[in-house]
Amino acid sequence: MRHLNDMALFVEVARARSFRKPAEALGMPNSTLSRRVSELEKAIGLRLLHRTTRKIELTEAGQLYYERSKRIVDEARLAHEQLGAMLNQPSGVLRVSLPVDLATFYLTPIIGEFARHYPGITFEFDLTPRRVDLVAEPFDVAIRIGKLEDSGLITRLIGRHSRHLYASPGYIEASGEPATPAELAEHECIGMLRSPIWSLHQGINKVDVAVRGRFTLNSVGMIRALAVNHQGIALLPEKIVAEDVAFGRLRRILPEWQGSAVSIFAVTETRLIPAKTQRFIEFLSSRLMEA
């Protein structure tokens, strides 16, 4: 049993590539944690870690042992959490990577509602456009929008948002309002990088429009802001601009046409996720699939 406990300690050290962070999280001295890992190495008969004053790296044996041990430790932790969840509310720190614009403009009230349901959970959110490494970094789940690369990670579709065309009353007054999708090519269109074609559909009718404009960028929030400031027509998720439409800052144009829906995914390293992460994913799905 002692070796199983030491295996769990080794997994935490290998995941963090550090003794300090796991020791702080576990509430034990660095020296004790280092000694326990050294005892595990002696019991196995192989060195698992290269230790230097600057960093810790896995040996070839350490990498193999980590890959095998991590699943065992995760399964054991999950079993304990699932049994505990039968009696108690999920608890602990939930670390989530979120898209900046989706979190800022739409997810915040949903997350607030989740927090009220589960007061035992605390949150660490990383709002960044970069694709975090769920294997090497300590995230429980990443929420992603759009097409995903085949990365070997576990993905779950948790929502789809319809997109529509919007422009400000000021832009429409200055430049006119397109009457057909084809007329979009004559207007200033605020587009996403690497997406010069807008695919629109009206029932079974579909059309692709090559749009142009002075602004192309990779931020839904800034596209929205530019549209509000009369810089052109934008193709945006309805939920992102609901307040702007309600207050008259934006107006939906070509209302019988809409863009392809945007898919929202929850991405995890493994299917063996703790109760706090499972509840979070399920809660988001219940709200985003309704939208």
Side-chain angles (χ1 to χ4, degrees):
M1 183 61 70
R2 174 63 180 267
H3 291 332
L4 289 176
N5 291 334
D6 290 347
M7 175 194 293
L9 295 177
F10 165 75
V11 166
E12 295 304 318
V13 171
R15 182 179 282 135
R17 297 295 197 273
S18 164
F19 283 105
R20 181 180 59 81
K21 291 180 181 179
E24 290 176 354
L26 295 167
M28 67 169 59
N30 279 14
S31 57
T32 301
L33 183 56
S34 178
R35 176 175 55 78
R36 294 279 294 273
V37 173
S38 295
E39 290 173 358
L40 179 64
E41 290 176 317
K42 290 177 183 177
I44 294 172
L46 290 169
R47 182 171 292 279
L48 302 176
L49 299 173
H50 285 306
R51 299 168 173 84
T52 70
T53 56
R54 299 183 61 184
K55 63 181 180 179
I56 291 174
E57 296 291 344
L58 295 175
T59 64
E60 183 179 356
Q63 182 65 40
L64 177 61
Y65 191 70
Y66 171 65
E67 290 172 358
R68 299 291 179 85
S69 300
K70 182 164 68 71
R71 182 167 294 275
I72 296 170
V73 171
D74 286 346
E75 287 181 351
R77 182 181 294 117
L78 181 61
H80 281 280
E81 290 185 353
Q82 287 179 335
L83 290 174
M86 294 174 67
L87 299 174
N88 303 301
Q89 292 271 30
S91 61
V93 180
L94 181 65
R95 297 178 176 88
V96 187
S97 171
L98 293 164
V100 178
D101 296 324
L102 184 70
T104 303
F105 292 105
Y106 186 59
L107 288 185
T108 299
I110 296 175
I111 291 170
E113 183 184 359
F114 177 80
R116 289 190 292 273
H117 278 281
Y118 299 100
I121 297 177
T122 56
F123 303 88
E124 289 184 7
F125 293 142
D126 182 272
L127 274 64
T128 175
R130 74 183 179 90
R131 300 284 174 165
V132 299
D133 188 339
L134 289 170
V135 176
E137 299 181 71
F139 289 99
D140 296 296
V141 60
I143 306 303
R144 292 289 173 256
I145 303 175
K147 187 176 180 180
L148 299 179
E149 298 176 359
D150 184 8
S151 61
L153 298 171
I154 306 303
T155 63
R156 172 178 169 178
L157 178 67
I158 61 172
R160 284 194 179 94
H161 280 182
S162 59
R163 294 187 299 167
H164 303 285
L165 295 160
Y166 299 93
S168 70
Y171 175 84
I172 293 171
E173 182 179 351
S175 303
E177 183 173 351
T180 67
E183 291 181 18
L184 288 170
E186 302 168 11
H187 281 263
E188 282 287 326
C189 293
I190 310 168
M192 292 290 288
L193 291 174
R194 298 177 293 278
S195 298
I197 305 296
W198 285 357
S199 296
L200 305 174
H201 62 89
Q202 177 196 47
I204 61 173
N205 299 317
K206 294 183 179 181
V207 62
D208 291 336
V209 182
V211 296
R212 61 171 183 82
R214 297 171 63 196
F215 297 99
T216 54
L217 51 152
N218 64 349
S219 167
V220 171
M222 189 171 179
I223 289 174
R224 167 192 162 275
L226 287 168
V228 168
N229 283 277
H230 324 302
Q231 297 304 309
I233 297 170
L235 179 63
L236 290 167
E238 182 177 11
K239 297 294 182 180
I240 297 293
V241 298
E243 183 176 305
D244 296 310
V245 172
F247 284 93
R249 294 188 291 264
L250 289 176
R251 183 190 306 169
R252 186 172 167 184
I253 62 174
L254 293 174
E256 67 277 15
W257 292 88
Q258 63 180 347
S260 54
V262 176
S263 297
I264 306 171
F265 297 92
V267 185
T268 58
E269 178 194 359
T270 174
R271 296 185 190 278
L272 300 169
I273 57 177
K276 62 186 178 183
T277 309
Q278 184 67 38
R279 298 284 179 87
F280 183 70
I281 293 172
E282 290 171 353
F283 193 88
L284 288 187
S285 180
S286 69
R287 298 302 185 270
L288 296 178
M289 285 298 190
E290 287 177 355

